[in-house]
Coordinates of all heavy atoms in Angstrom, one line a residue:
M28 N 102.3 94.1 80.5 CA 102.0 95.5 80.1 C 100.5 95.7 80.0 O 99.9 96.7 80.4 CB 102.7 95.9 78.9 CG 104.2 96.0 79.0 SD 104.8 97.2 80.1 CE 105.3 98.5 79.1
A29 N 99.8 94.7 79.5 CA 98.3 94.7 79.3 C 97.7 94.8 80.7 O 96.7 95.6 80.9 CB 97.8 93.5 78.6
Q30 N 98.1 94.1 81.7 CA 97.6 94.1 83.0 C 97.8 95.5 83.6 O 96.9 96.0 84.3 CB 98.1 93.1 83.9 CG 97.7 91.7 83.5 CD 98.4 90.6 84.3 OE1 99.5 90.8 84.9 NE2 97.8 89.4 84.4
I31 N 98.9 96.1 83.4 CA 99.2 97.4 84.0 C 98.3 98.4 83.3 O 97.8 99.3 84.0 CB 100.7 97.7 83.8 CG1 101.6 96.8 84.7 CG2 101.0 99.2 84.0 CD1 103.0 96.8 84.4
A32 N 98.2 98.4 82.0 CA 97.3 99.3 81.3 C 95.9 99.2 81.8 O 95.2 100.2 82.0 CB 97.4 99.0 79.8
K33 N 95.4 98.0 82.0 CA 94.1 97.8 82.5 C 93.9 98.4 83.9 O 92.9 99.1 84.2 CB 93.7 96.3 82.5 CG 92.3 96.0 82.9 CD 92.0 94.5 82.9 CE 90.6 94.2 83.3 NZ 90.3 92.8 83.3
A34 N 94.9 98.1 84.8 CA 94.8 98.6 86.1 C 94.8 100.2 86.1 O 94.2 100.8 87.0 CB 95.9 98.1 87.0
A35 N 95.6 100.7 85.2 CA 95.7 102.2 85.1 C 94.6 102.8 84.3 O 94.5 104.1 84.2 CB 97.0 102.6 84.5
R36 N 93.7 102.0 83.7 CA 92.6 102.4 82.9 C 93.1 103.2 81.7 O 92.5 104.3 81.4 CB 91.6 103.2 83.7 CG 91.0 102.3 84.8 CD 89.9 103.0 85.6 NE 89.4 102.2 86.6 CZ 88.7 102.6 87.6 NH1 88.5 103.8 87.8 NH2 88.3 101.7 88.5
V37 N 94.1 102.7 81.1 CA 94.6 103.3 79.8 C 94.8 102.2 78.9 O 94.8 101.0 79.2 CB 95.9 104.1 80.0 CG1 95.7 105.3 81.0 CG2 97.0 103.2 80.5
S38 N 95.1 102.6 77.6 CA 95.3 101.5 76.6 C 96.7 101.0 76.8 O 97.6 101.7 77.3 CB 95.2 102.1 75.2 OG 96.2 103.0 74.9
R39 N 96.9 99.8 76.3 CA 98.3 99.2 76.3 C 99.2 100.1 75.5 O 100.4 100.3 75.9 CB 98.2 97.8 75.7 CG 99.5 97.1 75.8 CD 99.3 95.6 75.4 NE 100.6 95.0 75.4 CZ 100.9 93.9 74.6 NH1 99.9 93.4 73.9 NH2 102.0 93.4 74.6
Q40 N 98.7 100.6 74.4 CA 99.6 101.5 73.6 C 100.0 102.8 74.4 O 101.1 103.2 74.2 CB 98.8 101.9 72.3 CG 99.6 102.8 71.4 CD 100.8 102.1 70.8 OE1 100.9 100.9 70.6 NE2 101.9 102.9 70.6
A41 N 99.1 103.3 75.2 CA 99.5 104.4 76.0 C 100.7 104.1 77.0 O 101.5 104.9 77.2 CB 98.3 104.9 76.8
V42 N 100.7 102.9 77.5 CA 101.8 102.5 78.4 C 103.0 102.4 77.6 O 104.1 102.9 78.0 CB 101.5 101.1 79.0 CG1 102.7 100.6 79.8 CG2 100.2 101.2 79.9
Y43 N 103.0 101.9 76.4 CA 104.2 101.8 75.5 C 104.6 103.1 75.0 O 105.8 103.3 74.7 CB 104.0 100.8 74.4 CG 104.2 99.4 74.7 CD1 103.2 98.5 74.8 CD2 105.5 98.9 75.0 CE1 103.4 97.2 75.2 CE2 105.8 97.6 75.3 CZ 104.7 96.7 75.4 OH 104.9 95.4 75.8
L44 N 103.7 104.1 74.9 CA 104.1 105.4 74.5 C 105.0 106.1 75.6 O 105.8 106.9 75.3 CB 102.9 106.3 74.2 CG 102.2 106.0 72.9 CD1 100.9 106.8 72.7 CD2 103.1 106.2 71.7
H45 N 104.7 105.8 76.8 CA 105.4 106.4 78.0 C 106.6 105.6 78.3 O 107.7 106.2 78.7 CB 104.5 106.5 79.2 CG 105.0 107.4 80.2 ND1 105.1 108.7 80.1 CD2 105.6 107.1 81.4 CE1 105.7 109.2 81.2 NE2 105.9 108.2 82.0
F46 N 106.6 104.3 78.3 CA 107.7 103.4 78.6 C 108.1 102.6 77.4 O 107.2 101.9 76.8 CB 107.3 102.4 79.8 CG 106.8 103.2 81.0 CD1 105.5 103.2 81.3 CD2 107.8 103.8 81.8 CE1 105.1 103.9 82.5 CE2 107.4 104.4 83.0 CZ 106.0 104.5 83.3
A47 N 109.3 102.6 77.0 CA 109.8 101.9 75.8 C 109.6 100.4 75.9 O 109.3 99.8 74.9 CB 111.3 102.3 75.5
D48 N 109.8 99.9 77.1 CA 109.6 98.4 77.3 C 109.4 98.1 78.7 O 109.3 99.1 79.6 CB 110.9 97.7 76.7 CG 112.2 98.1 77.4 OD1 112.2 98.8 78.5 OD2 113.2 97.9 76.8
R49 N 109.3 96.9 79.1 CA 109.1 96.5 80.5 C 110.2 96.9 81.4 O 110.0 97.3 82.5 CB 108.9 95.0 80.6 CG 107.5 94.6 80.0 CD 107.3 93.1 80.2 NE 108.3 92.3 79.5 CZ 109.1 91.5 80.1 NH1 109.1 91.2 81.3 NH2 110.0 90.8 79.3
A50 N 111.5 96.9 80.9 CA 112.6 97.3 81.7 C 112.4 98.8 82.1 O 112.7 99.1 83.2 CB 113.9 97.1 80.9
A51 N 112.1 99.6 81.1 CA 111.9 101.0 81.4 C 110.8 101.2 82.5 O 110.9 102.1 83.4 CB 111.5 101.8 80.2
L52 N 109.7 100.4 82.4 CA 108.6 100.5 83.4 C 109.2 100.1 84.8 O 108.9 100.7 85.8 CB 107.5 99.7 83.0 CG 106.3 99.6 84.0 CD1 105.7 100.9 84.2 CD2 105.3 98.5 83.5
M53 N 109.9 99.0 84.8 CA 110.4 98.5 86.1 C 111.4 99.5 86.7 O 111.4 99.7 87.9 CB 111.1 97.1 85.9 CG 110.2 96.0 85.6 SD 111.0 94.5 85.5 CE 110.4 93.8 84.0
V54 N 112.2 100.1 85.9 CA 113.2 101.1 86.4 C 112.4 102.3 86.9 O 112.7 102.8 88.0 CB 114.2 101.6 85.3 CG1 114.9 102.8 85.7 CG2 115.1 100.4 85.0
A55 N 111.4 102.7 86.2 CA 110.5 103.9 86.7 C 109.9 103.5 88.0 O 109.8 104.4 88.9 CB 109.5 104.2 85.6
V56 N 109.4 102.3 88.2 CA 108.8 101.9 89.5 C 109.8 102.0 90.6 O 109.5 102.6 91.7 CB 108.2 100.5 89.4 CG1 107.8 100.0 90.8 CG2 106.9 100.5 88.5
A57 N 111.0 101.4 90.3 CA 112.0 101.4 91.4 C 112.5 102.9 91.7 O 112.6 103.2 92.9 CB 113.2 100.6 90.9
R58 N 112.7 103.7 90.7 CA 113.1 105.1 90.9 C 112.0 105.9 91.7 O 112.3 106.7 92.6 CB 113.5 105.8 89.6 CG 114.7 105.2 89.1 CD 115.1 105.9 87.8 NE 116.4 105.4 87.3 CZ 116.9 105.8 86.1 NH1 116.3 106.6 85.3 NH2 118.1 105.2 85.7
H59 N 110.7 105.6 91.3 CA 109.6 106.3 92.0 C 109.6 105.9 93.5 O 109.5 106.7 94.4 CB 108.3 105.9 91.3 CG 107.1 106.4 92.1 ND1 106.7 107.8 92.1 CD2 106.2 105.8 92.9 CE1 105.7 107.9 92.8 NE2 105.3 106.7 93.3
L60 N 109.8 104.6 93.7 CA 109.8 104.1 95.1 C 111.0 104.8 95.9 O 110.8 105.2 97.0 CB 110.0 102.6 95.1 CG 109.8 101.9 96.5 CD1 108.5 102.3 97.1 CD2 109.9 100.4 96.3
D61 N 112.2 104.8 95.3 CA 113.3 105.5 95.9 C 113.0 107.0 96.3 O 113.2 107.4 97.4 CB 114.5 105.5 95.0 CG 115.3 104.2 94.9 OD1 114.9 103.3 95.6 OD2 116.1 104.1 94.0
A62 N 112.4 107.7 95.3 CA 112.1 109.1 95.6 C 111.0 109.2 96.6 O 111.1 110.1 97.5 CB 111.6 109.8 94.3
R63 N 110.0 108.4 96.5 CA 108.9 108.4 97.5 C 109.4 108.2 98.9 O 108.9 108.8 99.9 CB 107.8 107.4 97.1 CG 106.6 107.5 97.9 CD 105.5 106.7 97.3 NE 104.5 106.5 98.3 CZ 104.0 105.3 98.6 NH1 104.4 104.2 98.0 NH2 103.1 105.2 99.5
L64 N 110.3 107.3 99.0 CA 110.8 106.9 100.4 C 112.0 107.9 100.8 O 112.5 107.7 101.9 CB 111.3 105.5 100.4 CG 110.2 104.4 100.1 CD1 110.8 103.1 100.0 CD2 109.2 104.5 101.3
G65 N 112.4 108.8 100.0 CA 113.4 109.8 100.4 C 114.8 109.3 100.3 O 115.7 109.9 101.0
L66 N 115.1 108.3 99.5 CA 116.4 107.8 99.4 C 117.5 108.9 99.0 O 118.5 109.0 99.6 CB 116.5 106.6 98.5 CG 117.9 105.9 98.4 CD1 118.3 105.4 99.7 CD2 117.8 104.8 97.4
P67 N 117.2 109.7 98.0 CA 118.2 110.7 97.6 C 118.6 111.6 98.8 O 119.8 111.9 99.0 CB 117.5 111.5 96.5 CG 116.6 110.5 95.9 CD 116.1 109.7 97.0
A68 N 117.7 112.1 99.6 CA 118.0 112.9 100.7 C 118.7 112.1 101.8 O 119.7 112.7 102.4 CB 116.7 113.5 101.3
D69 N 118.4 110.9 102.0 CA 119.1 110.1 102.9 C 120.6 109.9 102.5 O 121.5 110.0 103.4 CB 118.5 108.7 103.1 CG 117.2 108.7 103.9 OD1 116.8 109.7 104.5 OD2 116.4 107.7 103.8
I70 N 120.8 109.7 101.2 CA 122.2 109.5 100.8 C 122.9 110.8 100.9 O 124.1 110.8 101.3 CB 122.2 109.0 99.3 CG1 121.7 107.5 99.3 CG2 123.6 109.1 98.7 CD1 121.5 106.9 98.0
Q71 N 122.3 112.0 100.6 CA 123.0 113.2 100.8 C 123.4 113.4 102.3 O 124.5 113.9 102.6 CB 122.1 114.4 100.3 CG 122.1 114.6 98.8 CD 121.2 115.8 98.5 OE1 120.3 116.2 99.2 NE2 121.6 116.4 97.3
D72 N 122.5 113.1 103.2 CA 122.8 113.2 104.6 C 123.9 112.3 105.0 O 124.8 112.7 105.7 CB 121.5 112.9 105.4 CG 120.4 113.9 105.3 OD1 120.7 115.0 104.8 OD2 119.3 113.6 105.7
M73 N 123.9 111.1 104.4 CA 125.0 110.2 104.7 C 126.3 110.7 104.3 O 127.3 110.6 104.9 CB 124.7 108.8 104.1 CG 125.8 107.8 104.3 SD 125.5 106.3 103.4 CE 125.9 106.8 101.7
M74 N 126.3 111.3 103.1 CA 127.6 111.8 102.5 C 128.1 113.0 103.3 O 129.3 113.3 103.2 CB 127.4 112.1 101.0 CG 127.0 110.9 100.2 SD 128.2 109.6 100.2 CE 129.5 110.2 99.2
A75 N 127.3 113.6 104.0 CA 127.7 114.8 104.7 C 128.2 114.6 106.1 O 128.7 115.5 106.8 CB 126.5 115.8 104.8
V76 N 128.2 113.3 106.6 CA 128.7 113.0 107.9 C 130.3 113.2 107.9 O 130.9 113.0 106.9 CB 128.3 111.6 108.4 CG1 126.8 111.5 108.5 CG2 128.9 110.5 107.6
P77 N 130.8 113.5 109.1 CA 132.2 113.9 109.2 C 133.2 112.7 109.1 O 134.4 113.0 108.8 CB 132.3 114.6 110.5 CG 131.2 114.1 111.4 CD 130.1 113.7 110.4
T78 N 132.8 111.5 109.4 CA 133.8 110.4 109.5 C 133.4 109.2 108.7 O 132.2 109.0 108.5 CB 134.1 110.0 111.0 OG1 132.9 109.4 111.5 CG2 134.5 111.1 111.8
G79 N 134.3 108.4 108.4 CA 134.0 107.1 107.7 C 133.1 106.2 108.6 O 132.2 105.6 108.0
A80 N 133.4 106.2 109.8 CA 132.6 105.3 110.8 C 131.2 105.8 110.8 O 130.2 105.0 110.8 CB 133.2 105.3 112.1
A81 N 131.0 107.1 110.8 CA 129.6 107.7 110.9 C 128.9 107.4 109.5 O 127.7 107.1 109.5 CB 129.7 109.2 111.1
M82 N 129.7 107.4 108.4 CA 129.1 107.1 107.1 C 128.6 105.7 107.1 O 127.6 105.4 106.6 CB 130.1 107.4 106.0 CG 129.5 107.3 104.6 SD 130.6 107.6 103.3 CE 130.7 109.4 103.4
L83 N 129.5 104.8 107.6 CA 129.1 103.4 107.6 C 127.8 103.2 108.5 O 126.9 102.5 108.1 CB 130.2 102.6 108.2 CG 130.0 101.1 108.2 CD1 129.8 100.5 106.8 CD2 131.3 100.4 108.8
E84 N 127.8 103.8 109.6 CA 126.6 103.7 110.4 C 125.3 104.3 109.7 O 124.2 103.6 109.8 CB 126.7 104.5 111.7 CG 127.6 103.8 112.7 CD 127.8 104.6 114.0 OE1 126.8 105.3 114.4 OE2 128.8 104.4 114.7
A85 N 125.5 105.4 109.0 CA 124.4 106.0 108.3 C 123.9 105.0 107.2 O 122.7 104.9 106.9 CB 124.7 107.3 107.7
S86 N 124.9 104.4 106.5 CA 124.6 103.5 105.4 C 123.8 102.3 105.9 O 122.8 101.9 105.3 CB 125.9 103.0 104.7 OG 125.6 102.1 103.7
V87 N 124.3 101.7 107.0 CA 123.5 100.6 107.6 C 122.1 101.0 108.0 O 121.2 100.3 107.8 CB 124.3 100.0 108.8 CG1 123.5 99.0 109.6 CG2 125.6 99.4 108.3
A88 N 122.0 102.2 108.6 CA 120.7 102.7 109.0 C 119.7 102.8 107.8 O 118.6 102.5 107.8 CB 120.8 104.0 109.8
I89 N 120.3 103.4 106.7 CA 119.5 103.5 105.5 C 119.0 102.1 105.0 O 117.9 101.9 104.6 CB 120.3 104.3 104.4 CG1 120.5 105.7 104.7 CG2 119.6 104.1 103.0 CD1 121.5 106.5 103.9
Q90 N 120.0 101.2 104.9 CA 119.6 99.9 104.4 C 118.6 99.2 105.3 O 117.6 98.6 104.8 CB 120.9 99.0 104.3 CG 121.9 99.4 103.2 CD 121.2 99.3 101.8 OE1 120.5 98.4 101.5 NE2 121.5 100.3 100.9
A91 N 118.8 99.3 106.6 CA 117.9 98.6 107.5 C 116.5 99.2 107.4 O 115.5 98.5 107.5 CB 118.5 98.7 108.9
G92 N 116.5 100.5 107.3 CA 115.2 101.2 107.2 C 114.5 101.1 105.9 O 113.3 101.0 105.8
R93 N 115.3 101.0 104.8 CA 114.7 101.0 103.4 C 114.4 99.6 102.9 O 113.4 99.4 102.2 CB 115.7 101.6 102.5 CG 115.3 101.8 101.1 CD 114.8 103.1 100.7 NE 115.6 104.2 101.2 CZ 115.1 105.1 102.0 NH1 113.8 105.0 102.4 NH2 115.8 106.1 102.5
N94 N 115.2 98.6 103.2 CA 115.0 97.3 102.6 C 113.6 96.7 102.8 O 113.1 96.2 101.8 CB 116.1 96.3 103.1 CG 117.4 96.6 102.5 OD1 117.5 97.4 101.5 ND2 118.5 95.9 102.9
P95 N 113.0 96.8 104.0 CA 111.7 96.2 104.1 C 110.7 96.9 103.1 O 109.7 96.3 102.6 CB 111.3 96.5 105.5 CG 112.6 96.6 106.3 CD 113.5 97.2 105.3
S96 N 110.9 98.2 102.8 CA 110.0 98.9 102.0 C 110.1 98.6 100.5 O 109.2 98.7 99.7 CB 110.2 100.4 102.1 OG 109.9 100.8 103.5
V97 N 111.3 98.2 100.1 CA 111.6 97.9 98.7 C 111.7 96.4 98.4 O 111.9 96.0 97.3 CB 112.8 98.6 98.2 CG1 112.7 100.1 98.3 CG2 114.1 98.2 98.9
W98 N 111.6 95.6 99.4 CA 111.8 94.2 99.3 C 110.9 93.5 98.2 O 111.3 92.7 97.4 CB 111.6 93.5 100.6 CG 111.8 92.0 100.6 CD1 110.9 91.0 100.8 CD2 113.0 91.3 100.3 NE1 111.4 89.8 100.6 CE2 112.7 89.9 100.3 CE3 114.3 91.7 99.9 CZ2 113.7 88.9 100.0 CZ3 115.3 90.7 99.7 CH2 115.0 89.4 99.7
A99 N 109.6 93.9 98.2 CA 108.7 93.3 97.2 C 109.2 93.5 95.8 O 109.2 92.6 94.9 CB 107.3 93.8 97.4
V100 N 109.5 94.8 95.5 CA 110.0 95.1 94.1 C 111.3 94.4 93.8 O 111.5 93.8 92.7 CB 110.1 96.6 94.0 CG1 110.8 97.0 92.6 CG2 108.8 97.3 94.1
A101 N 112.2 94.5 94.7 CA 113.5 93.8 94.5 C 113.4 92.3 94.3 O 114.0 91.7 93.5 CB 114.5 94.1 95.7
R102 N 112.6 91.7 95.2 CA 112.4 90.2 95.1 C 111.7 89.9 93.7 O 112.1 88.9 93.1 CB 111.5 89.8 96.2 CG 111.4 88.3 96.3 CD 110.7 87.9 97.6 NE 110.5 86.4 97.6 CZ 109.8 85.8 98.3 NH1 109.0 86.4 99.2 NH2 109.7 84.5 98.3
A103 N 110.8 90.7 93.3 CA 110.1 90.4 92.0 C 111.1 90.5 90.8 O 111.2 89.6 90.0 CB 109.0 91.4 91.7
L104 N 112.0 91.5 90.9 CA 113.0 91.6 89.8 C 114.0 90.5 89.9 O 114.4 89.9 88.9 CB 113.7 92.9 90.0 CG 113.1 94.2 89.4 CD1 113.9 95.4 89.7 CD2 112.8 94.1 87.9
D105 N 114.5 90.2 91.1 CA 115.5 89.1 91.3 C 114.9 87.8 90.8 O 115.7 86.9 90.3 CB 115.9 89.1 92.7 CG 117.1 88.2 92.9 OD1 118.0 88.2 92.0 OD2 117.2 87.4 93.9
A106 N 113.7 87.5 91.0 CA 113.1 86.2 90.7 C 113.1 85.9 89.2 O 113.2 84.8 88.8 CB 111.6 86.2 91.2
V107 N 113.0 87.0 88.4 CA 113.0 86.8 86.9 C 114.1 87.3 86.1 O 114.3 87.1 85.0 CB 111.7 87.4 86.4 CG1 110.4 86.7 87.0 CG2 111.6 88.9 86.6
R108 N 115.1 88.0 86.8 CA 116.1 88.7 86.0 C 117.0 87.8 85.3 O 117.6 88.2 84.3 CB 116.9 89.6 86.9 CG 117.8 88.9 87.9 CD 118.4 90.0 88.9 NE 119.3 89.4 89.8 CZ 120.6 89.2 89.7 NH1 121.1 89.7 88.5 NH2 121.3 88.7 90.6
R109 N 117.2 86.5 85.7 CA 118.1 85.6 85.0 C 117.5 85.1 83.7 O 118.3 84.6 82.9 CB 118.6 84.5 86.0 CG 119.5 85.0 87.0 CD 119.7 84.0 88.2 NE 120.4 84.6 89.3 CZ 119.8 85.3 90.3 NH1 118.6 85.6 90.2 NH2 120.6 85.8 91.2
T110 N 116.2 85.1 83.6 CA 115.6 84.6 82.4 C 114.8 85.7 81.6 O 114.2 85.4 80.6 CB 114.6 83.5 82.8 OG1 113.6 84.0 83.7 CG2 115.3 82.3 83.4
D111 N 114.8 86.9 82.1 CA 114.1 88.0 81.5 C 115.0 89.2 81.3 O 115.4 89.8 82.3 CB 112.9 88.4 82.4 CG 112.0 89.4 81.8 OD1 112.5 90.4 81.2 OD2 110.8 89.3 81.9
A112 N 115.3 89.5 80.1 CA 116.3 90.5 79.8 C 115.9 91.9 80.3 O 116.7 92.7 80.8 CB 116.6 90.6 78.3
A113 N 114.6 92.2 80.2 CA 114.1 93.5 80.7 C 114.3 93.6 82.2 O 114.7 94.6 82.7 CB 112.6 93.6 80.3
A114 N 114.0 92.5 82.9 CA 114.2 92.5 84.4 C 115.6 92.7 84.7 O 116.0 93.4 85.7 CB 113.6 91.3 85.0
E115 N 116.5 92.0 84.0 CA 117.9 92.1 84.2 C 118.4 93.6 84.0 O 119.2 94.1 84.8 CB 118.7 91.1 83.4 CG 120.2 91.2 83.5 CD 120.7 90.9 84.9 OE1 120.0 90.2 85.7 OE2 121.9 91.3 85.3
R116 N 117.9 94.2 82.9 CA 118.3 95.6 82.7 C 117.9 96.5 83.8 O 118.6 97.4 84.3 CB 117.7 96.1 81.4 CG 118.5 95.6 80.2 CD 118.2 96.3 78.9 NE 116.7 96.5 78.6 CZ 116.0 95.6 78.0 NH1 116.5 94.4 77.6 NH2 114.7 95.8 77.7
A117 N 116.7 96.3 84.3 CA 116.1 97.0 85.5 C 117.0 96.8 86.7 O 117.3 97.7 87.4 CB 114.7 96.7 85.7
W118 N 117.3 95.5 86.9 CA 118.2 95.2 88.1 C 119.5 95.9 88.0 O 120.0 96.5 89.0 CB 118.3 93.7 88.1 CG 119.1 93.1 89.3 CD1 120.5 92.9 89.3 CD2 118.6 92.8 90.6 NE1 120.8 92.5 90.6 CE2 119.7 92.4 91.4 CE3 117.4 92.8 91.2 CZ2 119.6 92.0 92.7 CZ3 117.2 92.4 92.5 CH2 118.3 92.0 93.2
Q119 N 120.1 95.8 86.9 CA 121.5 96.4 86.7 C 121.4 98.0 86.8 O 122.3 98.6 87.4 CB 122.1 96.1 85.3 CG 122.5 94.6 85.2 CD 123.4 94.2 86.3 OE1 124.3 94.9 86.7 NE2 123.2 93.0 86.9
D120 N 120.3 98.6 86.3 CA 120.1 100.0 86.5 C 120.1 100.4 88.0 O 120.7 101.3 88.4 CB 118.8 100.4 85.9 CG 118.5 101.9 86.1 OD1 119.0 102.8 85.4 OD2 117.7 102.2 87.1
R121 N 119.4 99.6 88.8 CA 119.3 99.8 90.2 C 120.6 99.7 90.9 O 121.0 100.5 91.7 CB 118.3 98.9 90.9 CG 116.9 98.9 90.3 CD 116.3 100.3 90.0 NE 116.4 101.2 91.2 CZ 116.8 102.5 91.1 NH1 117.1 103.1 90.0 NH2 116.8 103.2 92.2
L122 N 121.4 98.7 90.5 CA 122.7 98.5 91.1 C 123.6 99.7 90.7 O 124.4 100.3 91.6 CB 123.4 97.2 90.7 CG 122.7 95.9 91.2 CD1 123.4 94.7 90.6 CD2 122.7 95.9 92.7
T123 N 123.6 100.1 89.5 CA 124.4 101.2 89.0 C 124.0 102.5 89.7 O 124.9 103.3 90.1 CB 124.3 101.4 87.5 OG1 124.7 100.1 86.9 CG2 125.1 102.5 87.0
A124 N 122.7 102.7 89.8 CA 122.2 103.9 90.5 C 122.7 104.0 91.9 O 123.1 105.1 92.4 CB 120.7 104.0 90.4
R125 N 122.7 102.9 92.6 CA 123.2 102.9 94.0 C 124.6 103.2 94.1 O 125.1 104.0 94.9 CB 122.9 101.5 94.6 CG 121.4 101.2 94.9 CD 121.2 99.9 95.4 NE 121.1 100.0 96.8 CZ 120.9 99.0 97.6 NH1 120.8 97.8 97.1 NH2 120.8 99.1 98.9
L126 N 125.4 102.7 93.2 CA 126.9 102.9 93.2 C 127.2 104.4 92.8 O 128.0 105.0 93.5 CB 127.6 102.0 92.2 CG 127.6 100.5 92.6 CD1 128.2 99.7 91.5 CD2 128.4 100.3 93.9
V127 N 126.5 104.9 91.9 CA 126.7 106.3 91.4 C 126.4 107.3 92.6 O 127.1 108.2 92.8 CB 125.9 106.6 90.2 CG1 125.9 108.1 89.9 CG2 126.4 105.9 89.0
R128 N 125.3 107.0 93.3 CA 124.9 107.9 94.4 C 125.9 107.9 95.5 O 126.1 108.8 96.2 CB 123.6 107.4 95.0 CG 122.4 107.8 94.1 CD 121.1 107.5 94.8 NE 120.0 107.6 93.9 CZ 119.1 106.7 93.8 NH1 119.1 105.6 94.5 NH2 118.1 106.9 92.9
L129 N 126.6 106.8 95.6 CA 127.6 106.6 96.7 C 129.0 107.1 96.4 O 129.8 107.2 97.2 CB 127.7 105.2 97.2 CG 126.4 104.7 97.9 CD1 126.5 103.2 98.2 CD2 126.0 105.5 99.1
C130 N 129.2 107.4 95.1 CA 130.5 107.9 94.7 C 130.6 109.4 94.6 O 129.7 110.1 94.5 CB 130.8 107.3 93.3 SG 131.0 105.5 93.3

């Protein structure tokens, strides 16, 4: 958190005032990336297709197009999530968010 505060040119306390913990910061980064890359709109478009086969094709296209863009964040979370409770909470939030969007 100190490195993030320094890079953002704010105090560490300012970071903690906005994000309760590292998990909240990691979730915010992942959600920001999703929004920036247009994932919510892509999922809406996928849900609007007329057939299951078309939905499957759209899902694969979303994953193939999106994964390279989010790989660095996902890999960083996955690397530490088994030993870092904050990273695990962020990882689980992302999995839950993906499932909720698809239901």
Side-chain angles (χ1 to χ4, degrees):
M28 295 295 261
Q30 290 174 341
I31 291 166
K33 184 178 179 181
R36 297 182 180 162
V37 298
S38 70
R39 186 173 173 204
Q40 183 62 33
V42 175
Y43 276 109
L44 288 172
H45 192 72
F46 302 103
D48 57 19
R49 287 181 302 115
L52 175 64
M53 288 183 230
V54 168
V56 166
R58 289 181 178 176
H59 172 75
L60 188 56
D61 284 350
R63 186 170 164 233
L64 295 173
L66 183 60
D69 287 347
I70 290 174
Q71 282 184 333
D72 291 346
M73 179 188 71
M74 298 301 287
V76 299
T78 67
M82 185 179 285
L83 184 57
E84 285 183 26
S86 177
V87 169
I89 290 169
Q90 291 298 322
R93 182 99 43 243
N94 285 352
S96 301
V97 300
W98 180 245
V100 173
R102 187 171 178 196
L104 281 178
D105 189 41
V107 298
R108 70 186 181 93
R109 289 166 189 84
T110 59
D111 184 315
E115 179 62 20
R116 284 194 311 274
W118 182 268
Q119 292 303 321
D120 174 84
R121 302 317 305 140
L122 292 179
T123 301
R125 291 177 95 179
L126 291 174
V127 167
R128 284 187 192 130
L129 295 174
C130 294

